[in-house]
């Protein structure tokens, strides 16, 4: 069932709660692919009812980012969801979520702001305010859908860590279920933004997973020094890759590591054909 208004969703949720059914929420920005599908399947398997939200959230885009050209494919998204056994696809308009006038600055909207220590690094460094937008919209979705479980991909590991922190700090009564990264056979992590890449660009984009897998292999062979592990990346990079960051951080609190251990995540972001791509691997 495709619903566009908060009131319609609330009505359904009320009935489900009355019946004592468990509810799973999968928040997305649409252009659904097999990565999203894996989250959806987990929710359908675990919960009595599943809600997938499809909302390209304007307040998590920075000026100059791809808000206007972000792929919007609601018909195909709805078909994928129906096929997978989703009960509600919630696709609100920006006006439905943020009200008349689309006044989105924090002078006029109550924001949920995650701690600076978590947002001043990795993607938050170049995407200032991005995680404020994410936490705010996810909080709104939590309040609208009141799920027992919410499913997020490890593809966006910094986002996952920040949302877990938000749920803990604000005592939000639900459990976050982290889901593994789904990749193409080539190793490329699935992403709605891969659509911006040419065939050659997709080939160049394999550099992310190659660097990460190689680091993991070196780590498994006994190299734990982060400087030494980082240096193994350079042989994969060429003039088609603009590296933004390659960092080793703690899985729980994003603290920087000098010596890698089993609680370390390696984060990478780089641009190929001016498309910003991210990936990560747990050591
Ligand atoms: P998005 O539509 O990009 O906001 O993503 C919605 C959710 O799907 C987020 O929790 C993402 O982490 C997750 N996701 C996106 N791509 C993948 C992937 N390749 N594997 C696993 N989860 C993913």
């Amino acid at each position: 069932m495709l619903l566009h208004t908060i009131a319609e969703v609330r009505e359904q949720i009320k009935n489900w709660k009355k019946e004592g059914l468990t509810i799973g929420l999968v928040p997305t920005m649409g252009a659904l692919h097999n990565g999203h599908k894996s989250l959806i399947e987990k929710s359908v398997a675990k919960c009595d009812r599943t809600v997938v939200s499809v909302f390209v959230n304007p307040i998590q885009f920075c000026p100059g980012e791809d808000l206007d050209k972000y792929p919007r494919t609601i018909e195909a998204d709805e078909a994928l969801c129906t096929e997978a056994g989703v009960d509600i696809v919630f696709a609100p308009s920006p006006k439905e979520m943020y009200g008349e006038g689309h006044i989105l600055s924090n002078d006029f909207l109550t924001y949920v702001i995650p701690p600076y220590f978590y947002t001043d690094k990795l993607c938050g460094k170049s995407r200032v305010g991005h995680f404020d937008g994410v936490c705010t919209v996810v909080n709104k979705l939590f309040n609208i859908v009141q799920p027992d479980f919410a499913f997020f991909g490890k593809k966006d590991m910094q986002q996952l860590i920040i949302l877990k922190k938000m749920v803990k700090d604000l005592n939000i009564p639900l459990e976050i279920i982290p889901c593994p990264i789904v990749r193409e056979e080539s190793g490329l992590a699935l992403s709605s933004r891969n659509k911006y890449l040419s065939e050659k660009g997709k080939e160049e984009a394999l550099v992310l997973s190659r660097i990460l897998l190689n680091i993991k292999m070196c780590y498994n062979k006994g190299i734990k020094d982060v400087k030494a592990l980082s240096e193994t990346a350079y042989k994969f990079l060429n003039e088609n890759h603009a590296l933004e960051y390659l960092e080793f951080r703690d899985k729980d609190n994003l603290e920087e590591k000098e010596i890698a251990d089993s609680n370390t995540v390696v984060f990478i972001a780089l641009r190929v054909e001016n498309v910003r791509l991210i990936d990560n691997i747990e050591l």
Side-chain angles (χ1 to χ4, degrees):
M1 189 183 348
L2 177 62
L3 300 179
H4 296 289
T5 69
I6 295 166
E8 288 168 308
V9 174
R10 278 200 197 284
E11 192 55 35
Q12 268 302 320
I13 300 291
K14 209 167 71 188
N15 292 334
W16 292 344
K17 294 268 175 200
K18 247 189 241 158
E19 292 175 55
L21 301 172
T22 58
I23 300 170
L25 172 66
V26 184
T28 81
M29 297 208 299
L32 301 183
H33 50 63
N34 283 340
H36 300 111
K37 198 171 160 199
S38 73
L39 273 55
I40 292 169
E41 285 169 350
K42 282 216 163 57
S43 176
V44 170
K46 190 173 176 69
C47 307
D48 298 320
R49 296 288 181 270
T50 289
V51 179
V52 174
S53 59
V54 173
F55 181 56
V56 182
N57 175 33
I59 68 168
Q60 71 186 68
F61 286 77
C62 301
E65 288 189 346
D66 56 344
L67 173 62
D68 293 333
K69 73 166 189 174
Y70 197 86
R72 288 159 169 89
T73 60
I74 188 66
E75 275 168 28
D77 293 348
E78 191 194 358
L80 183 149
C81 287
T82 306
E83 172 84 24
V86 169
D87 299 280
I88 293 179
V89 178
F90 175 44
S93 63
K95 190 171 145 197
E96 179 70 10
M97 289 298 271
Y98 295 115
E100 207 62 64
H102 301 197
I103 298 168
L104 302 178
S105 87
N106 53 12
D107 289 343
F108 297 97
L109 181 71
T110 305
Y111 271 72
V112 177
I113 316 268
Y116 190 60
F117 184 81
Y118 287 66
T119 60
D120 69 342
K121 48 183 60 69
L122 303 169
C123 289
K125 207 168 176 176
S126 63
R127 306 188 75 191
V128 175
H130 167 70
F131 290 110
D132 302 351
V134 169
C135 286
T136 301
V137 80
V138 169
N139 234 285
K140 284 168 73 74
L141 292 168
F142 285 171
N143 286 330
I144 293 164
V145 176
Q146 298 168 52
D148 301 280
F149 301 96
F151 298 77
F152 293 93
K154 290 183 178 180
K155 165 78 180 15
D156 301 282
M157 186 62 107
Q158 186 179 14
Q159 167 177 285
L160 173 64
I161 291 168
I162 288 172
L163 290 173
K164 272 166 63 181
K165 174 85 175 136
M166 175 184 85
V167 163
K168 179 167 171 269
D169 287 353
L170 300 183
N171 306 97
I172 302 177
L174 57 80
E175 188 183 336
I176 287 195
I177 310 288
C179 303
I181 302 176
V182 176
R183 299 176 179 279
E184 287 184 4
E185 237 172 78
S186 63
L188 181 65
L190 297 187
S191 162
S192 306
R193 290 191 167 98
N194 292 351
K195 289 195 173 141
Y196 302 147
L197 294 169
S198 70
E199 276 313 305
K200 182 170 175 290
K202 279 184 100 176
E203 181 61 39
E204 294 288 354
L206 295 180
V207 69
L208 288 99
S209 55
R210 282 185 184 144
I211 286 174
L212 295 176
L213 279 173
N214 186 253
I215 286 175
K216 177 132 183 157
M217 193 184 73
C218 294
Y219 171 80
N220 286 341
K221 278 188 180 160
I223 305 176
K224 309 286 182 225
D225 180 65
V226 162
K227 262 199 195 125
L229 288 168
S230 300
E231 276 164 17
T232 66
Y234 292 105
K235 67 175 180 228
F236 293 94
L237 293 168
N238 65 38
E239 68 285 357
N240 297 318
H241 312 130
L243 182 66
E244 185 178 309
Y245 61 71
L246 174 67
E247 293 183 23
F248 293 63
R249 293 191 173 271
D250 186 90
K251 207 186 274 196
D252 298 315
N253 57 24
L254 290 177
E255 261 170 33
E256 196 157 17
K257 298 273 191 184
E258 283 179 18
I259 302 296
D261 59 23
S262 59
N263 218 40
T264 301
V265 183
V266 190
F267 293 85
I268 188 167
L270 61 74
R271 281 177 189 273
V272 171
E273 296 180 334
N274 213 24
V275 181
R276 191 171 175 283
L277 301 168
I278 58 169
D279 202 347
N280 68 82
I281 201 163
E282 294 168 81
L283 295 182

